[in-house]
Amino acid sequence: MQKIVLGAWFVLLVSGLSAQDVSISRNSEVMDSTKFSSLIKRYEQIIMADREELALFKIDLLGPLLYALSAEDSAKSNIARISFEKKFKPEWSWIITTEIQANRLDITELRQRAGARYYFNMQKRILKGKSANNFSANYLSARLNYKRRPVENENQVSIDLLFGIQRRLWKYGYIDFDIGIENIIAPYESKSAGIDFTSSIQIGIAF
């Protein structure tokens, strides 16, 4: 009889501990889920996920900052880079960009770029309620790229194919990163036609 009572007491004890473990586990899952939802909401606020934008004027600040911090006279950086981008469909936009690259001595290169972007995950983000029709998404892009070296009086033309990630940062900020290939069809005299790699990153203000 004593053994039966002890056995029953042990079963109740184990059951109680198991129930407590399940309760703690469930509470932990709820806390983790709440914390994750809060992080997602905060991220969506940062990238302006609930704000619709059909046109964007962008000024890069990273290039001028790197130029100001450079101590080498021959170090090249973009002293100016401005872009205008406009949607003509929720997932499609056209974009034009002007860039001026320089070192401490000369303007080394002038660039004019025009192309189109396809935000391939924009429709999915809109349908899931993760984004409005804005510029916070991943994209594929094709652009015509005209470069000029004023000192050497040389020109170069290429067609670029890019993969990129762009995000809005609060009300007036943005970050734009791209990487891809540059198909040089009319090269500088010191270069040859062919495929080259290209990448860039911009962090700046947008309105």
Side-chain angles (χ1 to χ4, degrees), residues 14-32:
V14 171
S15 299
L17 290 174
S18 298
Q20 187 178 16
D21 288 342
V22 170
S23 177
I24 292 173
S25 177
R26 287 178 178 173
N27 289 338
S28 178
E29 288 177 2
V30 170
M31 290 177 63
D32 289 344

Side-chain angles (χ1 to χ4, degrees), residues 21-92:
D21 288 342
V22 170
S23 177
I24 292 173
S25 177
R26 287 178 178 173
N27 289 338
S28 178
E29 288 177 2
V30 170
M31 290 177 63
D32 289 344
S33 177
T34 302
K35 186 176 180 180
F36 182 73
S37 298
S38 178
L39 288 173
I40 291 295
K41 186 176 181 180
R42 181 58 178 163
Y43 170 72
E44 290 175 351
Q45 289 174 344
I46 291 173
I47 66 170
M48 307 293 290
D50 60 346
R51 179 176 175 178
E52 184 173 8
E53 295 176 307
L54 301 181
L56 207 60
F57 184 76
K58 301 182 289 187
I59 302 175
D60 176 45
L61 299 180
L62 181 60
L65 176 62
L66 294 176
Y67 179 82
L69 296 176
S70 174
E72 297 288 335
D73 288 343
S74 59
K76 300 177 183 178
S77 186
N78 289 312
I79 61 172
R81 175 160 49 188
I82 59 174
S83 304
F84 181 74
E85 185 174 2
K86 184 173 177 61
K87 290 286 192 76
F88 58 90
K89 285 187 177 182
E91 69 274 26
W92 286 94

